[in-house]
């Protein structure tokens, strides 16, 4: 009796605990999102205001091949970023997870250190590394790999470098968490059963690390899809990603309805991706 | 956590939210304190030495808040930020704000320093009678170039299509300015509403794109000074600042014509201190104050009497004060109404190719 009373009181208290987060999310997340959704069905006023006449024209406009191309391009960049982060992040995370416990904290901290500095400042630093007379070119020339500086800054390659750099930690951390949990005796057992290194990797480690792989891929794919500073600064604004397009519609053209519709299409793409994850391999929620 | 502390905690959250909301609101006047003037301006427009004399003369306090683009300024005023007394939109934005009814009418009697304006600034097309706005600083858009690399001084936009400078050219990251340059080079108005002409301009820009290193409105002065580019489409002021770092940098307003722009002083309708605001505008246009501002920012002052007080190195710099010939073929950027969609589409296509 007393036990069930206490637990009911506990539930009531737990409800209270939710309140601050609910208020916060409601005011600063759900409400603005609803406003953006409403605006995406309005039309642009003559001088850039919002006119509250219901229309689907913004979504129809986005079906234009030109805009679809922007979405495709952004997806390609996001996929390439995710793939590269996985290739770079997996060995790194594996190394950290296998390192002696007293070293793991240090390695993890080193992965996180870049976050202590503002992303914009770090992007400016990359501009200095990548420019024609920058660190990278001087290093490559000094070591004799190239004789003339290569143009890296203001190319798609620079954008890709910047994106991989920026989101690598989001891949490493969930991978580390998954790899660290793997019971070493399972690997030893596989070895005892004469599995080759490759078989151990593909049949034991990867399946066990799958939740971490999927979480890391989503954490990298989603923000890089909406990247905005990197293409602008490292790509020299020579081409657009969705983030730049939305910013352009909002601030330059002052077409808030089209910008809002573009944001919602972006969000829909992300949701479809998450749903796909739930369907295919997401036995475990994130 | 017991119920009392929980309530306190939630109360605290609400209080925090309330404080943030209040802080976002414009400041209110406290009659017990000195009168305060709220000045909303470009991030680099105010030096510490500029405001102090005004505060001393009038016994008021000037609070400065800054923006970095016209669009940001408009968004803030549109979203209902009130309490700013003086702000500085560019010419085309003045017209948008006038049409949206965001500006208060000015009293010319209170702004005697605006009675005479520099040649080219009288009867600004967006507000010919200066009922709502007074020009403050102005300048041109042209080409900054490195005369060590380009020995014959260019006089035409055509140089930005010269294959020899491939990868050494920067253009503004601004659709109207970039189209403005190409339209003038083709002999058209930069405010054209003809779809066929805009289409032709787009084709010319696509042809130029392989030569362009980057589209930037922020870094072209540094890129010129560091030699990363040798030709930069841009505003005169930053080019003049690049000259201080690298003396071989020169500036030209192409003969086919270019943009003239002016940042104008206006009083938002929501100002609570309109008289003080106009007093402040008059102060900013005082020839002595204006001359120092001009020297510091490398932009021309709208007060013609200020020019004589500006040091010769700045006064005779064509990037700051355009010469007679340049003045003859400048054009104001005007609102193009629904045609903006065409420009926008063409710009997006340029970026996606």
């Amino acid at each position: 009796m007393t036990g069930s009373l206490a637990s009911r009181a506990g539930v009531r208290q737990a409800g209270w605990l939710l309140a601050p987060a609910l208020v916060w999310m409601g005011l600063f997340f759900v409400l603005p999102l609803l406003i953006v959704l409403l605006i995406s069905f309005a039309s642009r006023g003559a001088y850039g205001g919002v006119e509250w006449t219901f229309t689907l024209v913004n979504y129809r406009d986005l079906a234009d091949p030109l805009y679809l191309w922007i979405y495709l391009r952004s997806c390609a960049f996001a996929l390439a970023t995710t793939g590269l982060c996985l290739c770079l992040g997996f060995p790194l995370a594996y190394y950290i997870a296998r390192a002696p416990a007293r070293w793991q904290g240090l390695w993890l901290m080193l992965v996180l250190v870049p976050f202590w500095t503002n992303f914009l400042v770090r992007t400016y630093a990359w501009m200095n590394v990548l420019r024609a007379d920058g660190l990278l070119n001087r290093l490559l020339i000094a070591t004799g790999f190239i004789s003339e500086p290569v143009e890296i800054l203001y190319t798609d390659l620079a954008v890709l470098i910047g994106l991989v750099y920026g989101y690598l930690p989001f891949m490493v951390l969930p991978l580390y968490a998954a790899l660290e949990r793997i019971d070493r005796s399972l690997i030893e057992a596989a070895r005892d059963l004469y599995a080759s290194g490759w078989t151990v990797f593909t049949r034991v480690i990867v399946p066990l690390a799958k939740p971490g792989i999927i979480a890391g891929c989503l954490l990298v794919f989603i923000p890089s899809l909406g990247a905005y500073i990197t293409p602008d600064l490292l790509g020299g604004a020579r081409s657009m990603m969705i983030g730049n397009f939305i910013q352009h519609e909002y601030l330059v053209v002052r077409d808030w309805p089209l910008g809002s519709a573009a944001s919602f299409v972006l969000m829909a793409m992300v949701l479809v991706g998450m749903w796909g994850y739930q369907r295919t391999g997401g036995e475990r929620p994130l | 956590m017991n119920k009392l502390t929980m309530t306190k905690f939630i109360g605290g959250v609400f209080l925090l939210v309330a404080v943030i909301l209040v802080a976002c609101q414009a400041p209110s006047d406290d009659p017990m304190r000195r009168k305060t003037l709220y000045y909303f301006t470009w991030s680099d427009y105010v030096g510490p030495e500029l405001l102090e004399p005004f505060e001393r003369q009038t016994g008021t306090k000037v609070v400065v808040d800054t923006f970095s683009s016209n669009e940001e300024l408009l968004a803030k005023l549109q979203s209902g930020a009130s309490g700013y007394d003086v702000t500085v939109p560019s010419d085309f934005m003045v017209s948008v704000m006038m049409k949206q009814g965001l500006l208060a009418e000015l009293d010319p009697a209170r702004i005697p320093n605006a009675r005479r304006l520099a040649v080219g600034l009288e009867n600004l097309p967006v507000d010919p009678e200066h009922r709502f706005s007074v020009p403050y600083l102005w300048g041109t858009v042209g080409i900054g170039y490195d005369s060590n690399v380009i020995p014959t001084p260019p006089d035409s936009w055509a140089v930005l299509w010269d294959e020899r400078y491939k990868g050494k050219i920067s253009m503004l990251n601004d659709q109207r300015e970039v189209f403005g340059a190409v339209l003038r080079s083709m002999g058209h108005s930069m405010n054209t509403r003809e779809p066929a002409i805009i289409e032709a301009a787009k084709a010319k820009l696509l042809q130029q794109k392989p030569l362009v290193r980057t589209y930037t409105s922020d870094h072209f002065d540094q890129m010129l000074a560091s030699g990363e580019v040798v030709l930069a489409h841009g505003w005169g002021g930053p080019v003049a600042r690049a000259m201080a770092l690298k003396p071989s940098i020169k500036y030209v307003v192409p003969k086919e014509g270019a943009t003239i722009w002016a940042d104008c002083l206006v009083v938002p309708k929501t100002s609570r201190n309109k008289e003080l605001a106009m007093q402040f505008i008059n102060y900013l246009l005082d020839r002595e104050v204006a001359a120092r501002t001009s020297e510091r920012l490398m932009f021309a002052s709208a007060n013609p009497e200020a020019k004589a007080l500006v040091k010769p190195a700045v006064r005779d710099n064509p990037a700051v004060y355009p010469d007679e010939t340049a003045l003859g073929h400048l054009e104001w950027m005007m609102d193009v109404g629904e045609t903006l969609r065409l420009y926008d589409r063409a710009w997006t296509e340029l970026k996606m190719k």
Side-chain angles (χ1 to χ4, degrees):
Chain A
M1 274 306 273
T2 45
S4 79
L5 261 181
S7 76
R8 229 179 292 159
V11 167
R12 212 177 304 141
Q13 262 191 356
W16 269 107
L17 287 172
L18 268 181
L22 279 182
V23 169
W24 186 266
M25 294 296 271
L27 264 180
F28 298 119
F29 181 72
V30 178
L31 193 67
L33 210 58
L34 282 177
I35 295 173
V36 174
L37 182 66
L38 276 181
I39 292 179
S40 76
F41 290 110
S43 43
R44 180 185 188 266
Y47 305 109
V50 173
E51 265 172 29
W52 295 106
T53 42
F54 178 84
T55 172
L56 288 171
V57 117
N58 303 308
Y59 289 94
R60 197 200 61 198
D61 284 354
L62 283 177
D64 186 304
L66 176 64
Y67 300 138
L68 288 179
W69 186 236
I70 299 183
Y71 280 96
L72 265 178
R73 214 185 115 82
S74 303
C75 279
F77 263 108
L79 279 175
T81 306
T82 311
L84 277 170
C85 278
L86 187 61
C87 292
L88 292 171
F90 200 97
L92 178 60
Y94 190 78
Y95 176 82
I96 299 177
R98 290 281 156 249
R102 63 176 187 284
W103 286 104
Q104 291 191 3
L106 177 72
W107 295 129
L108 285 176
M109 198 190 76
L110 287 177
V111 170
L112 289 172
V113 158
F115 286 112
W116 296 358
T117 310
N118 179 289
F119 185 63
L120 191 61
V121 175
R122 286 185 280 142
T123 307
Y124 274 106
W126 268 107
M127 289 175 78
N128 280 318
V129 172
L130 297 178
R131 65 177 76 240
D133 60 349
L135 208 61
L136 185 61
N137 266 311
R138 271 186 287 171
L139 196 72
L140 288 174
I141 290 173
T143 50
F145 276 105
I146 50 171
S147 52
E148 291 265 293
V150 253
E151 304 285 353
I152 305 173
L153 189 58
Y154 310 130
T155 61
D156 286 350
L157 179 62
V159 177
L160 199 58
I161 292 175
L163 288 174
V164 170
Y165 160 77
Y167 297 118
L168 187 59
F170 294 106
M171 181 65 87
V172 172
L173 294 180
L175 277 179
Y176 162 79
L179 290 170
E180 201 255 348
R181 274 200 304 251
I182 296 179
D183 188 345
R184 285 190 196 209
S185 55
L186 291 175
I187 296 170
E188 281 160 19
R191 280 302 208 177
D192 287 346
L193 297 168
Y194 299 105
S196 66
W198 178 248
T199 313
V200 172
F201 178 72
T202 52
R203 302 280 298 275
V204 179
I205 297 175
V206 168
L208 287 172
K210 200 172 158 195
I213 294 173
I214 292 172
C217 287
L218 282 176
L219 284 177
V220 172
F221 182 79
I222 293 169
S224 53
L225 191 59
Y228 147 65
I229 291 175
T230 313
D232 222 33
L233 291 180
L234 296 182
R238 291 171 53 89
S239 57
M240 280 184 183
M241 283 179 65
I242 310 174
N244 308 96
F245 175 67
I246 294 172
Q247 185 261 359
H248 182 77
E249 288 306 314
Y250 260 88
L251 291 181
V252 181
V253 192
R254 293 197 299 285
D255 191 338
W256 287 26
L258 187 62
S260 303
S263 320
F264 262 90
V265 171
L266 175 61
M267 230 180 291
M269 284 167 61
V270 170
L271 283 176
V272 166
M274 302 278 280
W275 177 74
Y277 158 70
Q278 294 266 331
R279 285 280 304 246
T280 54
E283 311 89 2
R284 259 182 271 188
L286 284 182
Chain B
M1 216 182 277
N2 65 39
K3 202 164 179 180
L4 184 67
T5 49
M6 202 58 233
T7 320
K8 264 190 188 165
F9 177 64
I10 291 165
V13 169
F14 271 109
L15 194 67
L16 185 71
V17 170
V19 167
I20 291 169
L21 291 179
V22 169
C24 294
Q25 290 292 314
S28 72
D29 275 319
D30 182 349
M32 295 302 286
R33 284 171 41 214
R34 282 191 296 170
K35 252 198 170 172
T36 306
L37 178 109
Y38 294 94
Y39 182 34
F40 194 30
T41 190
W42 296 87
S43 25
D44 57 351
Y45 263 26
V46 187
E49 73 292 345
L50 176 73
L51 304 174
E52 198 265 329
F54 179 78
E55 291 182 319
R56 216 179 33 227
Q57 283 163 24
T58 55
T60 53
K61 188 171 159 37
V62 179
V63 174
V64 177
D65 197 0
T66 62
F67 55 85
S68 57
S69 73
N70 277 294
E71 285 72 23
E72 189 186 336
L73 164 62
L74 178 70
K76 280 243 175 101
L77 290 190
Q78 268 177 339
S79 65
S82 60
Y84 292 122
D85 298 304
V86 177
T87 184
V88 203
S90 301
D91 46 273
F92 69 93
M93 191 50 73
V94 170
S95 101
V96 172
M97 290 180 166
M98 279 169 62
K99 283 166 184 160
Q100 297 204 345
L102 294 170
L103 303 181
E105 211 161 325
L106 301 176
D107 177 1
R110 291 187 186 277
I111 314 173
N113 285 335
R115 228 164 263 156
R116 282 190 57 223
L117 290 170
V119 180
L121 298 183
E122 315 100 328
N123 318 111
L124 216 63
V126 293
D127 183 17
E129 291 151 46
H130 298 290
R131 279 173 61 205
F132 296 93
S133 65
V134 185
Y136 175 36
L137 293 164
W138 64 286
T140 56
V141 173
I143 302 170
Y145 63 97
D146 187 339
S147 59
N148 279 346
V149 184
I150 301 158
T152 40
D155 63 347
S156 158
W157 289 114
V159 73
L160 297 178
W161 274 258
D162 191 329
E163 296 273 351
R164 281 177 297 173
Y165 306 118
K166 181 172 181 179
K168 292 281 182 187
I169 297 170
S170 79
M171 298 292 284
L172 287 175
N173 193 20
D174 180 317
Q175 63 181 33
R176 288 296 308 279
E177 289 295 353
V178 168
F179 272 92
V182 67
L183 285 169
R184 290 302 301 215
S185 80
M186 296 162 73
H188 299 293
S189 159
M190 56 178 66
N191 298 308
T192 187
R193 297 189 185 207
E194 279 300 321
I197 295 177
I198 296 171
E199 198 58 28
K202 183 192 83 190
K204 228 182 142 186
L205 286 173
L206 280 171
Q207 185 200 327
Q208 183 208 23
K209 195 178 174 189
L211 311 184
V212 176
R213 189 71 187 282
T214 168
Y215 296 88
T216 173
S217 304
D218 307 314
H219 312 298
F220 63 87
D221 48 345
Q222 296 153 32
M223 295 179 75
L224 262 181
S226 74
E228 250 184 295
V229 298
V230 297
L231 286 159
H233 167 234
W235 294 285
V239 174
R241 277 173 255 161
M243 288 174 191
L245 299 170
K246 192 176 196 180
S248 61
I249 305 284
K250 300 259 186 304
Y251 179 80
V252 64
V253 173
K255 60 174 191 262
E256 299 96 337
T259 316
I260 178 174
W261 58 267
D263 285 346
C264 301
L265 293 161
V266 300
V267 178
K269 216 171 212 169
T270 48
S271 157
R272 298 191 191 88
N273 275 313
K274 298 205 174 63
E275 281 180 23
L276 186 63
M278 284 185 265
Q279 202 181 343
F280 184 63
I281 290 178
N282 195 51
Y283 165 81
L284 290 177
L285 288 169
D286 172 83
R287 54 184 180 170
E288 196 57 52
V289 176
R292 297 295 85 80
T293 310
S294 189
E295 283 169 357
R296 203 176 68 81
L297 297 175
M298 299 298 231
F299 289 131
S301 168
N303 183 341
E305 291 169 19
K307 188 176 173 183
L309 302 175
V310 171
K311 61 183 175 198
V314 176
R315 188 173 62 208
D316 300 331
N317 186 340
V320 184
Y321 283 91
D323 54 36
E324 293 284 319
T325 34
L327 276 176
H329 42 238
L330 295 175
E331 185 179 2
W332 293 96
M333 195 73 77
M334 306 289 277
D335 184 29
V336 289
E338 280 306 300
T339 315
L340 186 61
R341 271 263 137 252
L342 289 183
Y343 281 102
D344 181 41
R345 213 197 129 79
W347 177 251
T348 311
E349 278 180 53
L350 172 67
K351 288 295 188 79
M352 290 316 293
K353 287 286 160 63

